[in-house]
Amino acid sequence: RNLEVMCACQPDCISVDELQDMEQARQVTDEYGMVLAGNIPPVDVLQQGGSEEAGRYVQRLLGSMETSRDFILATGFDLPHALPEDNMLACMTALGGMEEPMETEQESELDLLLMA
């Protein structure tokens, strides 16, 4: 019900958290031609889950959004400060953006993002 009201306001994007049913959100945002963003659980999956769980969650979420016209993979809320880097790298790998995690001697991009 709230999603339809939000879409009627014509924002550029509707971002939802992990409590929102993504299939329902996808149906509403597709009907209105809106971009949908969400909804990797930042605590349960990214902070407290393992890297395999994080990767599988992203793969399942992307699979469920295959038919969506406009979708942005994002966390359902802010990233926790104590986020295991391996979990975020697993999400990136699941996206197909990286074959393997990069090893660098300098601070990683994730470290820089978390410090911002």
Side-chain angles (χ1 to χ4, degrees):
R1 182 174 65 196
N2 289 337
L3 287 174
E4 291 185 14
V5 172
M6 292 167 66
C7 288
C9 293
Q10 300 181 336
D12 293 324
C13 178
I14 301 289
S15 179
V16 298
D17 66 16
E18 69 269 16
L19 300 177
Q20 174 64 51
D21 178 276
M22 286 299 284
E23 179 60 27
Q24 176 196 19
R26 183 188 62 80
Q27 289 174 1
V28 173
T29 55
D30 280 358
E31 181 181 323
Y32 284 84
M34 292 283 139
V35 175
L36 173 63
N39 76 353
I40 305 169
V43 176
D44 294 347
V45 172
L46 291 180
Q47 184 179 30
Q48 296 174 348
S51 59
E52 288 182 22
E53 179 184 356
R56 281 192 307 269
Y57 188 92
V58 167
Q59 289 173 335
R60 283 193 309 271
L61 181 56
L62 290 174
S64 71
M65 294 292 117
E66 276 183 337
T67 61
S68 184
R69 294 191 306 235
D70 296 302
F71 175 67
I72 298 172
L73 180 69
T75 58
F77 201 67
D78 293 336
L79 290 175
H81 288 282
L83 177 70
E85 187 171 339
D86 286 346
N87 291 3
M88 194 58 151
L89 292 172
C91 291
M92 293 168 61
T93 301
L95 275 169
M98 297 172 53
E99 293 295 320
E100 295 180 18
M102 298 183 311
E103 296 291 330
T104 64
E105 293 179 19
Q106 299 176 348
E107 293 179 303
S108 71
E109 288 183 41
L110 179 60
D111 290 334
L112 296 174
L113 285 172
L114 292 174
M115 286 189 271

